[in-house]
Amino acid sequence: MLRIIKQKISSRGLSAPVIGGYTHRLSPVASTIRHFSSAIKEMLVRDALNSALDEEMAADSSVFIMGEEVGEYQGAYKITKGLLDKYGPERVVDTPITEAGFTGIGVGAAYHGLKPVIEFMTFNFSMQAMDHIINSAAKSNYMSAGQINVPIVFRGPNGAAAGVSSQHSQCYGAWFGTVPGLKVLVPYSSEDARGLLKAAIRDPDPVVFLENELLYGESFPVSAEVLDSSFCLPIGKAKIERKGKDITITAYSKMVGYALKAAEILEKDGINAEVINLRSIRPLDRATINASVRKTNRLVTVEEGFPQHGVGAEICATVVEDSFEYLDAPVERIAGADVPTPYAANLERFAFPQIEDIVRAAKRACYRSVSTAATA
Amino acid sequence: MASSYLSKSKHMIMQSLKSKKVLMSIIMRHTSFVTNSQFCRPFHIQNYADSSVALSRSFGSIYCERRLHTATSVSNKITKELAVNMYTNMVTLQVMDTIFYEAQRQGRISFYLTTIGEEAINIASAAALNINDFIFPQYREPGVLLWRGFSLQEFANQVFGNKYDYGKGRQMPIHYGSKKLNYITVASTVATQIPHAVGAAYSMKMDKQYSCTVTYFGDGGSSTVNYKLINNFIFVIFLFILLKTLLQGDFHAALNFAAVMEAPVIFFCRNNGWAISTPINDQLRSDGIVVRGKAYGVPSIRVDGNDALAVYSAVNDARKMAIEQQTPVLIEALTYRAGHHSTSDDSTKYRPVDEIEWWRADQNPVTRFRKWIETKGWWSDETESEHRSNIRKQLSQAIQAAERVEKPPVADMFNDVYDVPPKNLSEQEALLRKTIKKHIHEYQSDVPM
């Protein structure tokens, strides 16, 4: 049933992200509705985040937002649009340019029982506040033996945008993923954005919420359940975006979209790929990953960040530890190039994984010869 | 010309001390003097002991300089009960520090950090606060906990890291914390408590609580930035800031923002002249810390930190001012770190022994306060020796008891990482228990399960 719909969509020439975004996620009923009526709502990731913040602030008066440009400017990326007018300057706090300062303040507020949502203009700037995130937030519950808990959320765009060069393009998933005491979430679609942000705000532990600037403007279909104000996704559960049986491709954030497109291309070559959207780097959903690898016997991990000590390295290790006998081929790791991100458009393209890289890796894992054509 | 502290000769050290004294006397000239203070006169170091308490408030308003208190006005407020209570706590703190320090030297505990020379700051500031005022300490303020009721046994349990430690054996010694007494657990990171205190104050403001937060820091920590957003709260957030924290970025953002938000926070800087081995002259060249407060628009005051009554008075008035006028206040308390930085330090390596001895003698805050309460007839030699031997006995009992108590159980290694223990940690704990049971002879028999 899904394949019929997919063919119909392809024949209509709908844009790739839309196809990749929803075809494999929605239930057949929903996709049918997409065709025969306009009942399905589309939502931008930006709006998803905004609505999640709005609803959580309305539900709990101890939630407040703090960051640069979040108030009067309506948010550097307009994620907090309209919230200052609605909730006032006490709950949407514009700060001076001092990440260390306002992160420390946020942590202190969380010590005393508020639920701050700290926005970093990009997670590259979170390095200025790293001591507060790690030493003052992540470790506090443990060091105080449960006397101090820190229900704080650190959110903002992570990873590469377009043409912002090395100091604005690093992915911090692996950095934060190593720290016990933190939870690290990486949404992809609008559903992920809404559900995971709500879960993060409600969670009593410190959560690092890594968004992606380029995803803000992408729209995804959302069901009525997702739009409900009590909607929440569980932290630590990955999502199988596309079911398959030949190879497992794990990805997070923007790379999920790339992996889905790669899966389309692989389908033409008869390779049926299963795409897992990690949704959560810490805790990592090892159970889902391992179950998938035990089914398909092959694995390709995809990430935007630097290769050494990356998320893919951890996934590879966990699969080797738990499902070694099930692997039919070595694990393929696709990651960003091991260089600070260059600016020039052509160089930047070389520095990050592209769909062709994923396709070629999958084919290598399936022991198919690599196509010599320029595009896969 | 600053030379490396390693090659600093005694001459150089005396030079910098003299320049500090010169600095002090220059400051004195610009401040109003408490000339008829009866407890200032006996001391021969005029320029220091006569350090006045002057409040300056700028920020667009008329620069005013007024005497905060005179000795008579202060002593009128201090009842016998309060004075004796303060003094006995100062003595307890002094004895506790000496004995725990010795215990570390004997190898019974791994680490300790004394408050010698700063007892007045600890106790007097705590005495001027309310139990609902949230304290964000650096690490040289156990006296505040002592004043609030933390028992000697509780202190001992923490430094020995036994199963009764409120920190479940996770922290180094002297990292005390008590939710009940509104004293945030000490963290090793310097000056991070300054913005935390501001944030907590903001939370109090949102809750419309009648309290404040207080943070302490030292000379070195004043470089950090700390934001205290405490508004509308009678509870002042009190920050104890070491001088060494003042060079951290946290301090600057905190003061700045606190002034902008009109937050009732007390920033208490313990200017004790040393940041481990860095003397004040190598730390900063400004007129102490008090001018930094002024630069940010925060009413600031400089007080003799070894004068218990001055500290009490300053904190008392600062708290009232902070709450009633909704403003942050910076208190710079001049004192001297008479002990080593910690048990990992030998300060005779970088400062002359006679300098240390001078401060331990006449300038000793405990001795000074004792002289005052004795003139009032509220204390005597008998009560002194009785109290001291009492505390010593209690302490040795507490230490012996704490030493004998078993260490925290294995389960305490894996909980509190998150609110709810995740599956992987439960699995690790199960695996560890299985391993211990299987190889029981390879593990210490005193490891409780």
Side-chain angles (χ1 to χ4, degrees), chain B residues 274-317:
Chain B
W274 294 93
I276 309 187
S277 67
T278 308
I280 190 72
N281 225 20
D282 284 350
Q283 187 79 245
L284 46 86
R285 290 300 167 95
S286 57
D287 178 5
I289 311 308
V290 76
V291 289
R292 296 177 183 211
K294 187 168 168 178
Y296 288 112
V298 173
S300 310
I301 196 169
R302 169 175 283 139
V303 65
D304 178 355
N306 286 2
D307 179 347
L309 293 172
V311 172
Y312 178 84
S313 166
V315 174
N316 203 354
D317 287 16

